[in-house]
Amino acid sequence: MLMSELIIKKRDGGTLTEEEIQFIVEGYTKGEIPDYQMSAFLMAVYFQKMLPIEALHLTLAMTHSGETLDLSGITGVTADKHSTGGVGDKTSLVLVPMLACLGVKMAKMSGRGLGHTGGTLDKLESIPGFCVDIPQERFMEQLEQVGMVIAGQTANLVPADKKMYALRDVTGTVDNIALITSSIMSKKLATGAQTIVLDVKMGKGSFMKTEEDARLLAQSMVKVGNLAGRNTVAVITDMDQPLGNTVGNALEVKEAIATLRGEHNGELLDLCLELGSCILTASGLAAAEEEAKSKLRSTIADGSALQKFAEFVQAQGGDPRVVQDLTLLPEAPVQLDVLAKEAGYIAEMDALEIGKVSLRLGGGRVTKESGIDPSVGVVLLKKIGDVVGEGEAFATVHAANTADAEAAAAQLRDCIFMSAEPVPAKPLVYGIIR
Ligand code: URA
């Protein structure tokens, strides 16, 4: 087989066979196919797209490009949850312990922040001592004993995606449905969980800006997951405004802990109930949505989810006392309220720009190598639909110094758009694809 011929076949709109796709993925992973040919191929896929069957073959070839986790020896139901990336998305920190309390073994390999979106690993590392590098043997032990693990990807899990993602990032080929599907689903399949719930974000702060694109991506990932033999469900959720009230690593951990303590009843908890009920029903642990949600709520009410989170933090080397004492988490030295220029109802909150404000404060990485400041970020005191008086605080900036805080406050004022008329609150869920 010749790579040049396969590039031409895709460029001219042909359908690639399983063998041809395997040849490309294997050849590229081993370094036999150079970056320039892979770039041309990715661009051909970008314009000509792939059929669902090609996306499946691409996903499976990528899944088997390195080692995979075998969870068949784990007792009970195994599940995984994935978000396509958003701003203020701390769902895993709340949902994973809730499900672990209900007997679901949650095996999660998470990522770091990407661009303006936050990463679960960065959030967890704001807990003193917390470790995300877990050797495979310990991963399995912890999964069996604690019922949950949230770790970084091991070096040899889906090496094809590591190379392809880095190349897509610099060749304008990230936002293609088949390429995103194979990138995300190969990692989910390689991690081995039987039930997979995908939180497909839609709106300004996500990779999919329109409902149509989000729906196509959700359908593509669900199809590939189910064809690969996993119970896969996708929930399309809002990312026009940040999720919940905090953006920034330690701030998000504080909000997650407050939610686990039962002190917060907002959209973060609602989203956990939606995603959690999909997992419980898809894996046969609840007969219907209401039963699932009531089981999930009981883990907050009886304190077991908070206790599970503490157990998980301890198992991964962190200080479990954070669940009682939030002052053990990093705290930014400067906190500045951001005041509304005019009175009215909040009509829009630009999640993308708010994500970038947190990034510039030091909450995300500007280059691959740069470190992050876990303490900085933004607390949103108001959300879309809320009424704000002139001069009233709608957010608080947490910054390393006064100059950063003032710059962030000015940027935040430009992220909020007001209306004189009442504005309905945004729906959280736009659809469920099973
Ligand atoms: N997240 C991934 O892991 N891969 C993509 O292609 C996009 C988002």
Side-chain angles (χ1 to χ4, degrees), residues 266-391:
E267 64 203 16
L268 171 60
L269 182 62
D270 291 345
L271 182 58
C272 291
L273 295 175
E274 289 294 338
L275 298 171
S277 75
C278 287
I279 290 196
L280 291 178
T281 50
S283 53
L285 291 178
E289 189 184 320
E290 260 326 299
E291 182 197 338
K293 287 187 179 174
S294 129
K295 284 184 169 179
L296 288 159
R297 274 194 208 94
S298 72
T299 68
I300 301 281
D302 67 10
S304 57
L306 184 70
Q307 176 56 35
K308 182 59 72 184
F309 185 78
E311 224 182 292
F312 148 73
V313 166
Q314 182 155 34
Q316 292 193 213
D319 186 343
R321 294 173 305 160
V322 288
V323 304
Q324 267 92 42
D325 183 359
L326 296 180
T327 64
L328 292 170
L329 288 162
E331 178 101 0
V334 177
Q335 291 169 21
L336 180 68
D337 279 346
V338 191
L339 311 182
K341 286 183 277 195
E342 52 186 325
Y345 297 87
I346 297 194
E348 277 183 52
M349 280 197 141
D350 191 327
L352 173 64
E353 289 306 318
I354 296 172
K356 286 186 190 164
V357 171
S358 174
L359 179 87
R360 285 188 216 108
L361 281 166
R365 286 177 192 78
V366 185
T367 66
K368 259 185 0 194
E369 291 73 28
S370 53
I372 57 169
D373 181 343
S375 69
V376 298
V378 177
V379 176
L380 297 168
L381 306 170
K382 306 278 180 182
K383 301 289 299 277
I384 292 179
D386 286 345
V387 66
V388 188
E390 190 187 332

Side-chain angles (χ1 to χ4, degrees), residues 84 165 168 179-180 183-184 187 207:
T84 55
Y165 195 88
R168 284 167 60 214
L179 296 178
I180 297 180
S183 168
I184 291 178
K187 289 175 282 201
F207 290 113

Side-chain angles (χ1 to χ4, degrees), residues 105-364:
K105 300 276 168 60
M106 295 296 295
K108 204 166 152 38
M109 287 204 182
S110 291
R112 297 199 174 271
L114 187 65
H116 66 281
T117 65
T120 302
L121 300 184
D122 293 332
K123 292 170 201 185
L124 283 168
E125 279 180 346
S126 65
I127 299 173
F130 194 93
C131 174
V132 298
D133 296 320
I134 313 274
Q136 208 185 101
E137 206 172 297
R138 252 196 59 216
F139 187 101
M140 296 296 187
E141 266 171 33
Q142 187 180 321
L143 185 59
E144 197 61 90
Q145 284 162 14
V146 183
M148 66 177 282
V149 187
I150 304 180
Q153 259 179 61
T154 56
N156 201 25
L157 195 100
V158 198
D161 181 62
K162 288 196 181 80
K163 282 189 83 176
M164 284 169 67
Y165 195 88
L167 195 60
R168 284 167 60 214
D169 205 18
V170 292
T171 56
T173 52
V174 170
D175 45 350
N176 169 273
I177 304 264
L179 296 178
I180 297 180
T181 296
S182 54
S183 168
I184 291 178
M185 292 307 292
S186 58
K187 289 175 282 201
K188 296 295 105 186
L189 298 182
T191 317
Q194 192 49 41
T195 298
I196 300 167
V197 68
L198 302 159
D199 180 4
V200 179
K201 300 286 186 200
M202 176 199 115
K204 290 190 193 77
S206 69
F207 290 113
M208 297 286 120
K209 307 289 182 212
T210 67
E211 185 167 351
E212 191 192 348
D213 280 350
R215 205 165 277 281
L216 287 173
L217 177 62
Q219 285 163 344
S220 168
M221 292 198 290
V222 168
K223 189 169 244 169
V224 164
N226 288 333
L227 286 171
R230 311 292 172 87
N231 297 327
T232 312
V233 184
V235 184
I236 300 172
T237 68
D238 180 67
M239 193 28 77
D240 263 344
Q241 63 179 337
L243 179 70
N245 293 95
T246 53
V247 181
N249 297 292
L251 291 171
E252 292 189 45
V253 172
K254 288 179 192 172
E255 185 178 359
I257 291 175
T259 305
L260 287 166
R261 284 177 179 175
E263 294 163 3
H264 260 322
N265 278 317
E267 64 203 16
L268 171 60
L269 182 62
D270 291 345
L271 182 58
C272 291
L273 295 175
E274 289 294 338
L275 298 171
S277 75
C278 287
I279 290 196
L280 291 178
T281 50
S283 53
L285 291 178
E289 189 184 320
E290 260 326 299
E291 182 197 338
K293 287 187 179 174
S294 129
K295 284 184 169 179
L296 288 159
R297 274 194 208 94
S298 72
T299 68
I300 301 281
D302 67 10
S304 57
L306 184 70
Q307 176 56 35
K308 182 59 72 184
F309 185 78
E311 224 182 292
F312 148 73
V313 166
Q314 182 155 34
Q316 292 193 213
D319 186 343
R321 294 173 305 160
V322 288
V323 304
Q324 267 92 42
D325 183 359
L326 296 180
T327 64
L328 292 170
L329 288 162
E331 178 101 0
V334 177
Q335 291 169 21
L336 180 68
D337 279 346
V338 191
L339 311 182
K341 286 183 277 195
E342 52 186 325
Y345 297 87
I346 297 194
E348 277 183 52
M349 280 197 141
D350 191 327
L352 173 64
E353 289 306 318
I354 296 172
K356 286 186 190 164
V357 171
S358 174
L359 179 87
R360 285 188 216 108
L361 281 166

Side-chain angles (χ1 to χ4, degrees), residues 49-61:
K49 306 191 168 47
M50 278 186 154
L51 293 177
I53 188 72
E54 291 177 287
L56 174 68
H57 290 145
L58 181 59
T59 307
L60 293 178

